[in-house]
Amino acid sequence: MAALELAGVTKDFGETKIIKGVDLAIRDGEFVVFVGPSGCGKSTLLRMISGLETVSAGEIRIGARDVAKLGPAERKIAMVFQSYALYPHMTVAKNLSFGLENLRLPRSEIDAKVQEAARILAIEPYLERRPKELSGGQRQRVAIGRAIVRDPDVFLFDEPLSNLDAALRVQTRAEIIQLHRRLKSTMVYVTHDQIEAMTMADRIAVLNAGQVEQFGTPEELFQRPANRFVATFIGSPRMNIFAGAISAIDGTGLSVSAAGVGDLRLPYAPGALAVGAAVDIGIRPQHFRLAGEDVAARFLVDYAESIGTETYVYGKLDGTSADAILHLPEHRHFKSGDRVPVSTPNDFIHLFDQATGKALTRLEQAN
Ligand SMILES: Nc1ncnc2c1ncn2[C@@H]1O[C@H](COP(=O)(O)OP(=O)(O)OP(=O)(O)O)[C@@H](O)[C@H]1O
Ligand SMILES: [Mg+2]
């Protein structure tokens, strides 16, 4: 077990900068998830931590050790890949013990570690089978077992569940969470899956184009995204964005006017912005409420999908051109062309500097 710290880590492939200065302090025993769009550098960063990829600049520390110059075998890290990467001609037991035999550990110690990993992952019945005689989920458990027997300081997972079907993914996800509880090891987990990220992580690092956009708990990212990128990346369906402008500023906040939304009084600090500055208003689909006729906003329905207990409504706010989504926690009927009055509690309205995308700071409410 150990903390994992990245300081000013960069990676260039030839002329191209892929990782552009990443700083992350991951605590001992923490479960951290990397999310971000395809190609943003998640796997590259993980491979740099593991030692499979060199570091162009910066430091990687595991506990007190600077490991940036050490080879993969010396780092006390184990990595689990999407593709399992099991040896097809070896039994499960051999797949688990092989790495330890290379380290010339005593036989009794190897057997004990293999038995323990097999017990934790419930793969004891399959120890004498070969990988092709296992299901995808069983194979992935063997791959995780191969990481466990090495007793690493840090576990790295690169989309380990993406080859599994939906049901098996949910089950294996629960197993990895239990594994983390039991081993209390530091784990870094890469995924495309929002639900995986939100449910598994102590903290999530949102990566974009080789940089960390925000590093925080799932709640922080969802409730207080640092910028428009994080706001629209975390949460499904994605946050609706409407263009507006600051119309007045005083000590208690801002007035913002926006087509479709109307005039809002919001408890935000203007930062460097002045009256007239362009802002983006962010409202999550779940944060619209059906309202009475007295509100300013009308949702112009294009079509709606009800899945029994909830309803997704697709369309636009009347008077705007941006596609928008409404997500209601109930079964409702709407037809194309309906103009539905909607409102959003002030607490759920996000504001971004339109030019930089940076979130404006919410003023602490006086109680
Ligand atoms: N060996 C390499 N040489 C040159 N470019 C590379 C190399 N490896 C990765 N890249 C580039 O680096 C960028 C980041 O790749 P990486 O595999 O880290 O992305 P990712 O975030 O893991 O994406 P995905 O979600 O699709 O797995 C991509 O643009 C990729 O093309
Ligand atoms: Mg990847």
Side-chain angles (χ1 to χ4, degrees):
M1 291 205 284
L4 169 64
E5 195 174 343
L6 279 60
V9 170
T10 69
K11 178 75 189 178
D12 309 331
F13 285 117
E15 294 290 289
T16 319
K17 293 203 178 314
I18 296 294
I19 303 293
K20 301 170 188 165
V22 166
D23 301 302
L24 281 176
I26 296 171
R27 299 180 195 118
D28 185 8
E30 198 169 23
F31 196 108
V32 166
V33 172
F34 290 174
V35 293
S38 189
C40 71
K42 302 180 295 295
S43 295
T44 303
L45 198 54
L46 216 57
R47 291 168 57 82
M48 288 162 78
I49 295 169
S50 74
L52 292 173
E53 200 74 75
T54 59
V55 171
S56 301
E59 285 178 25
I60 299 178
R61 279 188 290 276
I62 298 174
R65 301 179 297 144
D66 180 357
V67 300
K69 299 274 172 343
L70 298 182
E74 299 163 288
R75 294 194 184 189
K76 293 207 73 189
I77 281 182
M79 187 149 164
V80 179
F81 301 92
Q82 174 180 355
S83 58
Y84 322 136
L86 301 178
Y87 299 109
H89 58 288
M90 293 182 189
T91 62
V92 168
K94 189 74 179 174
N95 264 285
L96 293 177
S97 65
F98 183 69
L100 303 178
E101 286 160 9
N102 283 348
L103 295 176
R104 301 186 190 287
L105 292 188
R107 189 74 240 172
S108 58
E109 193 178 324
I110 293 176
D111 289 343
K113 280 176 183 273
V114 168
Q115 281 305 326
E116 169 69 1
R119 192 179 57 75
I120 291 175
L121 295 166
I123 50 176
E124 291 148 305
Y126 319 123
L127 281 172
E128 294 315 313
R129 293 201 200 166
R130 285 173 214 284
K132 69 171 193 306
E133 298 161 326
L134 300 176
S135 73
Q138 290 160 348
R139 279 180 220 175
Q140 193 51 283
R141 271 186 265 159
V142 176
I144 295 169
R146 206 170 40 181
I148 292 176
V149 294
R150 297 182 47 200
D151 199 9
D153 282 340
V154 179
F155 284 81
L156 306 176
F157 296 90
D158 196 353
E159 309 214 36
L161 309 185
S162 48
N163 282 347
L164 307 182
D165 68 34
L168 206 49
R169 229 171 23 225
V170 171
Q171 184 194 334
T172 313
R173 181 167 91 205
E175 285 167 4
I176 292 176
I177 293 171
Q178 277 170 20
L179 182 70
H180 179 247
R181 290 219 185 100
R182 157 180 224 148
L183 301 178
K184 298 184 172 60
S185 313
T186 309
M187 298 189 174
V188 183
Y189 187 100
V190 171
T191 181
H192 266 96
D193 186 316
Q194 291 251 345
I195 307 287
E196 262 175 51
M198 296 297 277
T199 55
M200 299 178 90
D202 292 318
R203 285 192 291 170
I204 298 174
V206 180
L207 296 171
N208 179 29
Q211 283 174 314
V212 177
E213 295 278 350
Q214 191 171 1
F215 184 37
T217 64
E219 292 75 16
E220 280 165 0
L221 300 194
F222 192 79
Q223 289 165 9
R224 295 283 176 265
N227 53 49
R228 190 174 47 211
F229 181 86
V230 173
T232 52
F233 191 81
I234 298 286
S236 175
R238 75 195 280 275
M239 183 186 280
N240 298 298
I241 299 288
F242 306 103
I246 297 179
S247 55
I249 299 174
D250 66 32
T252 63
L254 310 174
S255 301
V256 172
S257 54
V261 179
D263 294 320
L264 304 168
R265 274 293 303 168
L266 298 170
Y268 278 95
L273 300 182
V275 169
V279 288
D280 278 334
I281 296 166
I283 303 177
R284 295 196 186 278
Q286 299 83 358
H287 291 155
F288 281 113
R289 307 279 179 265
L290 300 180
E293 293 293 331
D294 55 331
V295 300
R298 295 284 180 283
F299 197 90
L300 188 57
V301 177
D302 192 0
Y303 66 101
E305 294 168 340
S306 179
I307 54 169
T309 53
E310 46 197 309
T311 307
Y312 294 86
V313 192
Y314 301 85
K316 294 177 171 49
L317 279 184
D318 206 1
T320 69
S321 57
D323 288 332
I325 304 180
L326 207 67
H327 181 188
L328 303 170
E330 60 200 305
H331 177 69
R332 302 283 296 216
H333 277 295
F334 297 101
K335 54 184 191 308
S336 179
D338 280 354
R339 292 174 80 251
V340 184
V342 290
S343 67
T344 296
N346 265 356
D347 280 357
F348 293 129
I349 297 180
H350 299 260
L351 271 189
F352 307 98
D353 179 336
Q354 196 173 82
T356 65
K358 232 168 111 41
L360 271 62
T361 309
R362 185 174 273 271
L363 296 171
E364 291 305 323
Q365 307 272 349
N367 292 318

PDB file of all heavy atoms in Angstrom, residues 1-4 49-51 62-63 65 67 70-79 103 113 147-156 185-186:
ATOM      1  N   MET A   1       0.844  -1.202   0.000  1.00  0.00           N
ATOM      2  CA  MET A   1       0.000   0.000   0.000  1.00  0.00           C
ATOM      3  C   MET A   1       0.869   1.237   0.000  1.00  0.00           C
ATOM      4  O   MET A   1       1.904   1.265   0.647  1.00  0.00           O
ATOM      5  CB  MET A   1      -0.874   0.015   1.245  1.00  0.00           C
ATOM      6  CG  MET A   1      -1.929  -1.058   1.214  1.00  0.00           C
ATOM      7  SD  MET A   1      -3.313  -0.598   2.240  1.00  0.00           S
ATOM      8  CE  MET A   1      -2.618  -0.908   3.835  1.00  0.00           C
ATOM      9  N   ALA A   2       0.436   2.236  -0.747  1.00  0.00           N
ATOM     10  CA  ALA A   2       1.222   3.467  -0.813  1.00  0.00           C
ATOM     11  C   ALA A   2       0.426   4.549  -1.512  1.00  0.00           C
ATOM     12  O   ALA A   2      -0.469   4.263  -2.302  1.00  0.00           O
ATOM     13  CB  ALA A   2       2.512   3.205  -1.576  1.00  0.00           C
ATOM     14  N   ALA A   3       0.798   5.791  -1.209  1.00  0.00           N
ATOM     15  CA  ALA A   3       0.247   6.918  -1.958  1.00  0.00           C
ATOM     16  C   ALA A   3       0.934   6.976  -3.321  1.00  0.00           C
ATOM     17  O   ALA A   3       2.017   6.422  -3.499  1.00  0.00           O
ATOM     18  CB  ALA A   3       0.477   8.206  -1.187  1.00  0.00           C
ATOM     19  N   LEU A   4       0.277   7.601  -4.267  1.00  0.00           N
ATOM     20  CA  LEU A   4       0.816   7.710  -5.628  1.00  0.00           C
ATOM     21  C   LEU A   4       0.735   9.172  -6.032  1.00  0.00           C
ATOM     22  O   LEU A   4      -0.347   9.770  -6.017  1.00  0.00           O
ATOM     23  CB  LEU A   4      -0.038   6.853  -6.568  1.00  0.00           C
ATOM     24  CG  LEU A   4       0.172   7.021  -8.070  1.00  0.00           C
ATOM     25  CD1 LEU A   4       1.577   6.600  -8.472  1.00  0.00           C
ATOM     26  CD2 LEU A   4      -0.852   6.183  -8.837  1.00  0.00           C
ATOM     27  N   ILE A  49       2.483   5.330 -15.400  1.00  0.00           N
ATOM     28  CA  ILE A  49       2.546   4.994 -13.967  1.00  0.00           C
ATOM     29  C   ILE A  49       3.113   3.584 -13.793  1.00  0.00           C
ATOM     30  O   ILE A  49       3.916   3.320 -12.917  1.00  0.00           O
ATOM     31  CB  ILE A  49       1.138   5.109 -13.323  1.00  0.00           C
ATOM     32  CG1 ILE A  49       0.647   6.553 -13.365  1.00  0.00           C
ATOM     33  CG2 ILE A  49       1.168   4.599 -11.878  1.00  0.00           C
ATOM     34  CD1 ILE A  49      -0.831   6.718 -12.994  1.00  0.00           C
ATOM     35  N   SER A  50       2.697   2.682 -14.693  1.00  0.00           N
ATOM     36  CA  SER A  50       3.124   1.282 -14.572  1.00  0.00           C
ATOM     37  C   SER A  50       4.566   1.079 -15.002  1.00  0.00           C
ATOM     38  O   SER A  50       5.181   0.082 -14.641  1.00  0.00           O
ATOM     39  CB  SER A  50       2.220   0.386 -15.418  1.00  0.00           C
ATOM     40  OG  SER A  50       2.550   0.556 -16.788  1.00  0.00           O
ATOM     41  N   GLY A  51       5.092   1.995 -15.807  1.00  0.00           N
ATOM     42  CA  GLY A  51       6.451   1.833 -16.305  1.00  0.00           C
ATOM     43  C   GLY A  51       6.509   1.228 -17.697  1.00  0.00           C
ATOM     44  O   GLY A  51       7.587   1.031 -18.259  1.00  0.00           O
ATOM     45  N   ILE A  62       5.788   6.681  -5.707  1.00  0.00           N
ATOM     46  CA  ILE A  62       4.946   5.690  -5.033  1.00  0.00           C
ATOM     47  C   ILE A  62       5.462   5.595  -3.619  1.00  0.00           C
ATOM     48  O   ILE A  62       6.620   5.220  -3.415  1.00  0.00           O
ATOM     49  CB  ILE A  62       5.020   4.322  -5.738  1.00  0.00           C
ATOM     50  CG1 ILE A  62       4.484   4.453  -7.168  1.00  0.00           C
ATOM     51  CG2 ILE A  62       4.212   3.280  -4.957  1.00  0.00           C
ATOM     52  CD1 ILE A  62       4.640   3.207  -7.993  1.00  0.00           C
ATOM     53  N   GLY A  63       4.650   5.985  -2.643  1.00  0.00           N
ATOM     54  CA  GLY A  63       5.164   6.134  -1.282  1.00  0.00           C
ATOM     55  C   GLY A  63       6.280   7.164  -1.332  1.00  0.00           C
ATOM     56  O   GLY A  63       6.125   8.226  -1.916  1.00  0.00           O
ATOM     57  N   ARG A  65       9.168   6.596  -2.825  1.00  0.00           N
ATOM     58  CA  ARG A  65      10.095   6.286  -3.914  1.00  0.00           C
ATOM     59  C   ARG A  65       9.754   7.050  -5.186  1.00  0.00           C
ATOM     60  O   ARG A  65       8.603   7.078  -5.597  1.00  0.00           O
ATOM     61  CB  ARG A  65      10.029   4.791  -4.247  1.00  0.00           C
ATOM     62  CG  ARG A  65      10.365   3.871  -3.081  1.00  0.00           C
ATOM     63  CD  ARG A  65      10.235   2.419  -3.514  1.00  0.00           C
ATOM     64  NE  ARG A  65       8.875   2.067  -3.895  1.00  0.00           N
ATOM     65  CZ  ARG A  65       8.547   1.225  -4.872  1.00  0.00           C
ATOM     66  NH1 ARG A  65       9.479   0.642  -5.590  1.00  0.00           N
ATOM     67  NH2 ARG A  65       7.286   0.959  -5.130  1.00  0.00           N
ATOM     68  N   VAL A  67       9.725   6.673  -8.840  1.00  0.00           N
ATOM     69  CA  VAL A  67       9.823   5.472  -9.674  1.00  0.00           C
ATOM     70  C   VAL A  67       9.955   5.787 -11.160  1.00  0.00           C
ATOM     71  O   VAL A  67      10.017   4.873 -11.981  1.00  0.00           O
ATOM     72  CB  VAL A  67       8.599   4.541  -9.461  1.00  0.00           C
ATOM     73  CG1 VAL A  67       8.506   4.102  -8.005  1.00  0.00           C
ATOM     74  CG2 VAL A  67       7.307   5.213  -9.919  1.00  0.00           C
ATOM     75  N   LEU A  70      12.414   3.807 -12.880  1.00  0.00           N
ATOM     76  CA  LEU A  70      12.458   2.363 -12.620  1.00  0.00           C
ATOM     77  C   LEU A  70      11.685   1.591 -13.689  1.00  0.00           C
ATOM     78  O   LEU A  70      10.737   2.099 -14.275  1.00  0.00           O
ATOM     79  CB  LEU A  70      11.852   2.044 -11.250  1.00  0.00           C
ATOM     80  CG  LEU A  70      12.529   2.640 -10.008  1.00  0.00           C
ATOM     81  CD1 LEU A  70      11.806   2.165  -8.753  1.00  0.00           C
ATOM     82  CD2 LEU A  70      14.007   2.256  -9.961  1.00  0.00           C
ATOM     83  N   GLY A  71      12.080   0.368 -13.933  1.00  0.00           N
ATOM     84  CA  GLY A  71      11.355  -0.500 -14.848  1.00  0.00           C
ATOM     85  C   GLY A  71      10.069  -0.989 -14.202  1.00  0.00           C
ATOM     86  O   GLY A  71       9.898  -0.889 -12.986  1.00  0.00           O
ATOM     87  N   PRO A  72       9.141  -1.531 -15.025  1.00  0.00           N
ATOM     88  CA  PRO A  72       7.841  -1.974 -14.512  1.00  0.00           C
ATOM     89  C   PRO A  72       7.963  -2.969 -13.355  1.00  0.00           C
ATOM     90  O   PRO A  72       7.221  -2.877 -12.376  1.00  0.00           O
ATOM     91  CB  PRO A  72       7.175  -2.643 -15.714  1.00  0.00           C
ATOM     92  CG  PRO A  72       7.913  -2.171 -16.906  1.00  0.00           C
ATOM     93  CD  PRO A  72       9.281  -1.761 -16.464  1.00  0.00           C
ATOM     94  N   ALA A  73       8.905  -3.882 -13.437  1.00  0.00           N
ATOM     95  CA  ALA A  73       9.013  -4.931 -12.418  1.00  0.00           C
ATOM     96  C   ALA A  73       9.432  -4.388 -11.063  1.00  0.00           C
ATOM     97  O   ALA A  73       9.150  -4.985 -10.031  1.00  0.00           O
ATOM     98  CB  ALA A  73      10.002  -6.003 -12.880  1.00  0.00           C
ATOM     99  N   GLU A  74      10.105  -3.241 -11.079  1.00  0.00           N
ATOM    100  CA  GLU A  74      10.631  -2.698  -9.811  1.00  0.00           C
ATOM    101  C   GLU A  74       9.643  -1.768  -9.116  1.00  0.00           C
ATOM    102  O   GLU A  74       9.920  -1.268  -8.043  1.00  0.00           O
ATOM    103  CB  GLU A  74      11.915  -1.910 -10.080  1.00  0.00           C
ATOM    104  CG  GLU A  74      13.024  -2.744 -10.688  1.00  0.00           C
ATOM    105  CD  GLU A  74      14.089  -1.854 -11.314  1.00  0.00           C
ATOM    106  OE1 GLU A  74      13.827  -1.250 -12.371  1.00  0.00           O
ATOM    107  OE2 GLU A  74      15.162  -1.758 -10.724  1.00  0.00           O
ATOM    108  N   ARG A  75       8.506  -1.506  -9.730  1.00  0.00           N
ATOM    109  CA  ARG A  75       7.619  -0.464  -9.186  1.00  0.00           C
ATOM    110  C   ARG A  75       6.600  -0.975  -8.183  1.00  0.00           C
ATOM    111  O   ARG A  75       5.879  -0.199  -7.588  1.00  0.00           O
ATOM    112  CB  ARG A  75       6.883   0.243 -10.337  1.00  0.00           C
ATOM    113  CG  ARG A  75       7.825   1.016 -11.214  1.00  0.00           C
ATOM    114  CD  ARG A  75       7.081   1.963 -12.123  1.00  0.00           C
ATOM    115  NE  ARG A  75       8.033   2.612 -13.019  1.00  0.00           N
ATOM    116  CZ  ARG A  75       7.737   3.617 -13.816  1.00  0.00           C
ATOM    117  NH1 ARG A  75       6.503   4.097 -13.848  1.00  0.00           N
ATOM    118  NH2 ARG A  75       8.643   4.145 -14.593  1.00  0.00           N
ATOM    119  N   LYS A  76       6.450  -2.279  -8.039  1.00  0.00           N
ATOM    120  CA  LYS A  76       5.415  -2.859  -7.166  1.00  0.00           C
ATOM    121  C   LYS A  76       4.016  -2.395  -7.573  1.00  0.00           C
ATOM    122  O   LYS A  76       3.207  -1.945  -6.761  1.00  0.00           O
ATOM    123  CB  LYS A  76       5.689  -2.551  -5.691  1.00  0.00           C
ATOM    124  CG  LYS A  76       6.955  -3.245  -5.181  1.00  0.00           C
ATOM    125  CD  LYS A  76       6.886  -3.496  -3.689  1.00  0.00           C
ATOM    126  CE  LYS A  76       5.914  -4.610  -3.354  1.00  0.00           C
ATOM    127  NZ  LYS A  76       5.653  -4.753  -1.924  1.00  0.00           N
ATOM    128  N   ILE A  77       3.791  -2.485  -8.890  1.00  0.00           N
ATOM    129  CA  ILE A  77       2.502  -2.108  -9.460  1.00  0.00           C
ATOM    130  C   ILE A  77       1.991  -3.295 -10.261  1.00  0.00           C
ATOM    131  O   ILE A  77       2.786  -4.002 -10.887  1.00  0.00           O
ATOM    132  CB  ILE A  77       2.687  -0.888 -10.393  1.00  0.00           C
ATOM    133  CG1 ILE A  77       2.790   0.380  -9.557  1.00  0.00           C
ATOM    134  CG2 ILE A  77       1.581  -0.789 -11.412  1.00  0.00           C
ATOM    135  CD1 ILE A  77       2.920   1.626 -10.356  1.00  0.00           C
ATOM    136  N   ALA A  78       0.689  -3.532 -10.244  1.00  0.00           N
ATOM    137  CA  ALA A  78       0.133  -4.560 -11.116  1.00  0.00           C
ATOM    138  C   ALA A  78      -0.957  -3.937 -11.970  1.00  0.00           C
ATOM    139  O   ALA A  78      -1.736  -3.121 -11.487  1.00  0.00           O
ATOM    140  CB  ALA A  78      -0.450  -5.702 -10.292  1.00  0.00           C
ATOM    141  N   MET A  79      -0.980  -4.300 -13.243  1.00  0.00           N
ATOM    142  CA  MET A  79      -1.929  -3.684 -14.166  1.00  0.00           C
ATOM    143  C   MET A  79      -2.846  -4.752 -14.766  1.00  0.00           C
ATOM    144  O   MET A  79      -2.393  -5.828 -15.136  1.00  0.00           O
ATOM    145  CB  MET A  79      -1.143  -2.975 -15.274  1.00  0.00           C
ATOM    146  CG  MET A  79      -1.999  -2.159 -16.199  1.00  0.00           C
ATOM    147  SD  MET A  79      -1.077  -0.721 -16.816  1.00  0.00           S
ATOM    148  CE  MET A  79      -2.108  -0.248 -18.197  1.00  0.00           C
ATOM    149  N   LEU A 103      10.026 -14.752 -10.259  1.00  0.00           N
ATOM    150  CA  LEU A 103      10.685 -14.032  -9.160  1.00  0.00           C
ATOM    151  C   LEU A 103      11.417 -14.992  -8.222  1.00  0.00           C
ATOM    152  O   LEU A 103      12.016 -14.573  -7.247  1.00  0.00           O
ATOM    153  CB  LEU A 103       9.649 -13.239  -8.351  1.00  0.00           C
ATOM    154  CG  LEU A 103       8.932 -12.089  -9.068  1.00  0.00           C
ATOM    155  CD1 LEU A 103       7.863 -11.483  -8.162  1.00  0.00           C
ATOM    156  CD2 LEU A 103       9.921 -11.018  -9.510  1.00  0.00           C
ATOM    157  N   LYS A 113      -0.190 -17.989  -2.113  1.00  0.00           N
ATOM    158  CA  LYS A 113      -0.693 -16.759  -2.747  1.00  0.00           C
ATOM    159  C   LYS A 113      -1.739 -17.085  -3.809  1.00  0.00           C
ATOM    160  O   LYS A 113      -2.752 -16.393  -3.937  1.00  0.00           O
ATOM    161  CB  LYS A 113       0.456 -15.974  -3.393  1.00  0.00           C
ATOM    162  CG  LYS A 113       1.286 -15.144  -2.408  1.00  0.00           C
ATOM    163  CD  LYS A 113       2.454 -14.500  -3.142  1.00  0.00           C
ATOM    164  CE  LYS A 113       3.367 -13.726  -2.211  1.00  0.00           C
ATOM    165  NZ  LYS A 113       2.927 -12.350  -1.997  1.00  0.00           N
ATOM    166  N   ALA A 147      -2.965 -10.033 -10.798  1.00  0.00           N
ATOM    167  CA  ALA A 147      -2.495  -8.798 -10.158  1.00  0.00           C
ATOM    168  C   ALA A 147      -2.404  -8.977  -8.641  1.00  0.00           C
ATOM    169  O   ALA A 147      -1.431  -8.563  -8.011  1.00  0.00           O
ATOM    170  CB  ALA A 147      -3.424  -7.640 -10.512  1.00  0.00           C
ATOM    171  N   ILE A 148      -3.415  -9.655  -8.063  1.00  0.00           N
ATOM    172  CA  ILE A 148      -3.450  -9.800  -6.599  1.00  0.00           C
ATOM    173  C   ILE A 148      -2.237 -10.571  -6.072  1.00  0.00           C
ATOM    174  O   ILE A 148      -1.645 -10.194  -5.068  1.00  0.00           O
ATOM    175  CB  ILE A 148      -4.754 -10.520  -6.158  1.00  0.00           C
ATOM    176  CG1 ILE A 148      -5.961  -9.621  -6.433  1.00  0.00           C
ATOM    177  CG2 ILE A 148      -4.698 -10.889  -4.684  1.00  0.00           C
ATOM    178  CD1 ILE A 148      -7.282 -10.301  -6.109  1.00  0.00           C
ATOM    179  N   VAL A 149      -1.863 -11.664  -6.758  1.00  0.00           N
ATOM    180  CA  VAL A 149      -0.784 -12.509  -6.220  1.00  0.00           C
ATOM    181  C   VAL A 149       0.531 -11.732  -6.135  1.00  0.00           C
ATOM    182  O   VAL A 149       1.410 -12.077  -5.351  1.00  0.00           O
ATOM    183  CB  VAL A 149      -0.542 -13.799  -7.052  1.00  0.00           C
ATOM    184  CG1 VAL A 149      -1.750 -14.706  -6.967  1.00  0.00           C
ATOM    185  CG2 VAL A 149      -0.183 -13.483  -8.494  1.00  0.00           C
ATOM    186  N   ARG A 150       0.649 -10.690  -6.914  1.00  0.00           N
ATOM    187  CA  ARG A 150       1.905  -9.926  -6.883  1.00  0.00           C
ATOM    188  C   ARG A 150       1.951  -8.976  -5.698  1.00  0.00           C
ATOM    189  O   ARG A 150       2.951  -8.338  -5.461  1.00  0.00           O
ATOM    190  CB  ARG A 150       2.078  -9.178  -8.199  1.00  0.00           C
ATOM    191  CG  ARG A 150       2.204 -10.181  -9.350  1.00  0.00           C
ATOM    192  CD  ARG A 150       2.421  -9.491 -10.652  1.00  0.00           C
ATOM    193  NE  ARG A 150       3.453  -8.480 -10.519  1.00  0.00           N
ATOM    194  CZ  ARG A 150       3.593  -7.470 -11.367  1.00  0.00           C
ATOM    195  NH1 ARG A 150       2.762  -7.356 -12.377  1.00  0.00           N
ATOM    196  NH2 ARG A 150       4.557  -6.590 -11.187  1.00  0.00           N
ATOM    197  N   ASP A 151       0.823  -8.860  -4.971  1.00  0.00           N
ATOM    198  CA  ASP A 151       0.799  -8.060  -3.759  1.00  0.00           C
ATOM    199  C   ASP A 151       1.351  -6.651  -4.016  1.00  0.00           C
ATOM    200  O   ASP A 151       2.266  -6.187  -3.338  1.00  0.00           O
ATOM    201  CB  ASP A 151       1.644  -8.785  -2.686  1.00  0.00           C
ATOM    202  CG  ASP A 151       1.313  -8.281  -1.300  1.00  0.00           C
ATOM    203  OD1 ASP A 151       0.332  -7.530  -1.180  1.00  0.00           O
ATOM    204  OD2 ASP A 151       2.066  -8.614  -0.370  1.00  0.00           O
ATOM    205  N   PRO A 152       0.797  -5.952  -5.004  1.00  0.00           N
ATOM    206  CA  PRO A 152       1.388  -4.675  -5.415  1.00  0.00           C
ATOM    207  C   PRO A 152       1.031  -3.544  -4.451  1.00  0.00           C
ATOM    208  O   PRO A 152       0.072  -3.647  -3.693  1.00  0.00           O
ATOM    209  CB  PRO A 152       0.726  -4.436  -6.770  1.00  0.00           C
ATOM    210  CG  PRO A 152      -0.612  -5.081  -6.642  1.00  0.00           C
ATOM    211  CD  PRO A 152      -0.414  -6.280  -5.748  1.00  0.00           C
ATOM    212  N   ASP A 153       1.809  -2.465  -4.506  1.00  0.00           N
ATOM    213  CA  ASP A 153       1.472  -1.252  -3.760  1.00  0.00           C
ATOM    214  C   ASP A 153       0.289  -0.549  -4.421  1.00  0.00           C
ATOM    215  O   ASP A 153      -0.503   0.097  -3.766  1.00  0.00           O
ATOM    216  CB  ASP A 153       2.663  -0.287  -3.735  1.00  0.00           C
ATOM    217  CG  ASP A 153       3.712  -0.720  -2.729  1.00  0.00           C
ATOM    218  OD1 ASP A 153       3.363  -1.500  -1.817  1.00  0.00           O
ATOM    219  OD2 ASP A 153       4.866  -0.289  -2.855  1.00  0.00           O
ATOM    220  N   VAL A 154       0.235  -0.651  -5.749  1.00  0.00           N
ATOM    221  CA  VAL A 154      -0.804   0.053  -6.504  1.00  0.00           C
ATOM    222  C   VAL A 154      -1.343  -0.876  -7.589  1.00  0.00           C
ATOM    223  O   VAL A 154      -0.575  -1.535  -8.288  1.00  0.00           O
ATOM    224  CB  VAL A 154      -0.225   1.334  -7.168  1.00  0.00           C
ATOM    225  CG1 VAL A 154      -1.296   2.050  -7.972  1.00  0.00           C
ATOM    226  CG2 VAL A 154       0.382   2.270  -6.127  1.00  0.00           C
ATOM    227  N   PHE A 155      -2.681  -0.937  -7.705  1.00  0.00           N
ATOM    228  CA  PHE A 155      -3.333  -1.667  -8.795  1.00  0.00           C
ATOM    229  C   PHE A 155      -3.748  -0.664  -9.870  1.00  0.00           C
ATOM    230  O   PHE A 155      -4.331   0.383  -9.536  1.00  0.00           O
ATOM    231  CB  PHE A 155      -4.633  -2.342  -8.327  1.00  0.00           C
ATOM    232  CG  PHE A 155      -4.443  -3.585  -7.518  1.00  0.00           C
ATOM    233  CD1 PHE A 155      -4.142  -3.503  -6.167  1.00  0.00           C
ATOM    234  CD2 PHE A 155      -4.600  -4.841  -8.094  1.00  0.00           C
ATOM    235  CE1 PHE A 155      -3.995  -4.654  -5.400  1.00  0.00           C
ATOM    236  CE2 PHE A 155      -4.454  -5.995  -7.333  1.00  0.00           C
ATOM    237  CZ  PHE A 155      -4.146  -5.898  -5.985  1.00  0.00           C
ATOM    238  N   LEU A 156      -3.505  -0.992 -11.122  1.00  0.00           N
ATOM    239  CA  LEU A 156      -3.976  -0.159 -12.231  1.00  0.00           C
ATOM    240  C   LEU A 156      -4.914  -0.998 -13.094  1.00  0.00           C
ATOM    241  O   LEU A 156      -4.596  -2.140 -13.435  1.00  0.00           O
ATOM    242  CB  LEU A 156      -2.789   0.311 -13.082  1.00  0.00           C
ATOM    243  CG  LEU A 156      -1.658   1.032 -12.346  1.00  0.00           C
ATOM    244  CD1 LEU A 156      -0.517   1.347 -13.324  1.00  0.00           C
ATOM    245  CD2 LEU A 156      -2.165   2.310 -11.702  1.00  0.00           C
ATOM    246  N   SER A 185      -5.969  -1.426  -0.965  1.00  0.00           N
ATOM    247  CA  SER A 185      -4.830  -0.973  -1.764  1.00  0.00           C
ATOM    248  C   SER A 185      -5.212   0.280  -2.539  1.00  0.00           C
ATOM    249  O   SER A 185      -6.377   0.545  -2.773  1.00  0.00           O
ATOM    250  CB  SER A 185      -4.437  -2.031  -2.797  1.00  0.00           C
ATOM    251  OG  SER A 185      -4.365  -3.283  -2.207  1.00  0.00           O
ATOM    252  N   THR A 186      -4.195   1.005  -2.953  1.00  0.00           N
ATOM    253  CA  THR A 186      -4.397   2.138  -3.842  1.00  0.00           C
ATOM    254  C   THR A 186      -4.746   1.591  -5.226  1.00  0.00           C
ATOM    255  O   THR A 186      -4.051   0.709  -5.726  1.00  0.00           O
ATOM    256  CB  THR A 186      -3.105   2.971  -3.906  1.00  0.00           C
ATOM    257  OG1 THR A 186      -2.691   3.236  -2.569  1.00  0.00           O
ATOM    258  CG2 THR A 186      -3.326   4.271  -4.654  1.00  0.00           C
TER     259      THR A 186
END
